[in-house]
Amino acid sequence: MPHHGNEEEHNTSAGQQNTQGNGQEPVIRDNRKVDPVTGQARHPEGGQPSGAGSQAGAADSDGDALAQAEEILNGVDVPAEESVAQGVKAGSGNAEAAELRNDLLRLQAEYVNYRKRVERDRAVAGEMAVIGVLNSLLPVLDDVDAARQHGDLADGPFAAIATKLENALKTYGLVRIDETGVEFDPTIHEALIQQPGEDIEVDTVSQVLRSGYKSGDRVLRAAQVIVAVPA
C-alpha cells in the first residue's frame, strides 16, 4: 500500500492495524545495523560479534576436549613396574615402557656388578698389602725366635718389645705354625728329616726347626719340621 510522509508513522500505523486485527499489542524491533543517533555500528540486543562467538565456541570446545582428556588420563591406572621413568606417559605405549624398564634393569645390574667387583678388588688389594708387610717381617720374627731360644729375650726391655711386636702382628691375622705331636700336613709343613718313630701309626711332627706362619687361610710360609714315620 503506498504511503506518504514519515516512515516511522507508517510503521506505527501498520502496527496499530495489525494489533487491532489480532487483538495484541504491537512489537517494534529496530534491526538497523547503524545507530541513527550516534552513527556507530551496533549489534543485535543480547548478541555478540560473529568472530567473538566463534572464538568463544572454539575455546569452549578446546576446554571440553582438554577436560575430557584429563579425565581419561586420570582414570587410567598405570602399574608401578611399568612406571620406570617419570618421562614415560601413560599413552606412550607398553612397548616403550617395557624397553625403558629393561634398559633400567640392565643398567642397575651392571652397576651392582661393578660395585661388587670394586669392593672385591679393594678387599683383595688390602689383603695383599697386609700379606706383603707380614712377609717382610718374617725374618725379624725368626731373629726374635732365635734370640729367645738362646736366652737373650728371657727378661728385659727387648723381651717386652718382642712380645708387643708379636701381639701387634696377631691383630692382622698372623698365626704361628709351631705345634709338635700333630699329624704331618704337607700344606703347612715342610719335612726336612724323617725318622722312625715308636708307637705311631701316621707321620707325625716330632720337632719344629723353623716356625711357619699363615694369615687366615693363606699360608705365608710352611714350617720346617722333622717327621717321625711308623717303623
Side-chain angles (χ1 to χ4, degrees):
M1 173 181 180
H3 63 276
H4 303 280
N6 193 345
E7 183 178 357
E8 294 182 356
E9 293 178 355
H10 174 72
N11 293 335
T12 303
S13 61
Q16 291 177 354
Q17 293 177 0
N18 293 335
T19 303
Q20 294 176 358
N22 298 331
Q24 298 179 356
E25 294 181 0
V27 178
I28 301 175
R29 295 184 177 86
D30 189 356
N31 295 328
R32 288 175 293 183
K33 296 182 179 181
V34 179
D35 191 342
V37 179
T38 61
Q40 298 179 356
R42 62 183 180 180
H43 304 286
E45 295 180 358
Q48 295 180 352
S50 60
S54 61
Q55 293 178 358
D60 293 340
S61 62
D62 293 340
D64 294 340
L66 180 60
Q68 293 178 1
E70 291 180 353
E71 291 179 0
I72 294 174
L73 292 177
N74 293 331
V76 175
D77 295 334
V78 180
E81 59 271 12
E82 293 185 2
S83 301
V84 296
Q86 295 180 355
V88 179
K89 297 181 179 180
S92 60
N94 295 331
E96 183 178 358
E99 183 178 359
L100 292 177
R101 180 176 181 274
N102 293 332
D103 292 341
L104 180 61
L105 293 177
R106 182 166 53 255
L107 290 176
Q108 184 178 5
E110 291 178 356
Y111 172 72
V112 171
N113 293 333
Y114 170 76
R115 185 176 61 184
K116 290 181 178 179
R117 184 169 60 254
V118 170
E119 292 177 355
R120 183 173 61 252
D121 294 343
R122 184 183 296 115
V124 172
E127 182 180 357
M128 295 303 298
V130 172
I131 290 175
V133 174
L134 295 178
N135 284 327
S136 64
L137 292 176
L138 292 184
V140 178
L141 296 178
D142 293 337
D143 294 339
V144 171
D145 289 341
R148 186 177 287 114
Q149 290 177 2
H150 287 82
D152 296 336
L153 294 179
D155 195 5
F158 291 105
I161 294 174
T163 303
K164 288 182 180 180
L165 176 61
E166 292 173 347
N167 292 333
L169 296 178
K170 288 180 181 179
T171 60
Y172 290 95
L174 184 65
V175 178
R176 184 190 296 269
I177 304 174
D178 58 353
E179 293 181 341
T180 59
V182 297
E183 183 178 356
F184 175 78
D185 186 356
T187 60
I188 61 175
H189 296 140
E190 180 183 358
L192 298 182
I193 302 173
Q194 291 184 356
Q195 296 176 348
E198 297 180 357
D199 298 334
I200 59 173
E201 297 179 357
V202 295
D203 296 346
T204 305
V205 176
S206 60
Q207 184 178 354
V208 177
L209 302 178
R210 190 182 69 175
S211 298
Y213 295 94
K214 66 179 181 178
S215 177
D217 297 334
R218 183 187 295 272
V219 178
L220 303 181
R221 190 181 68 185
Q224 295 179 352
V225 297
I226 298 175
V227 180
V229 298

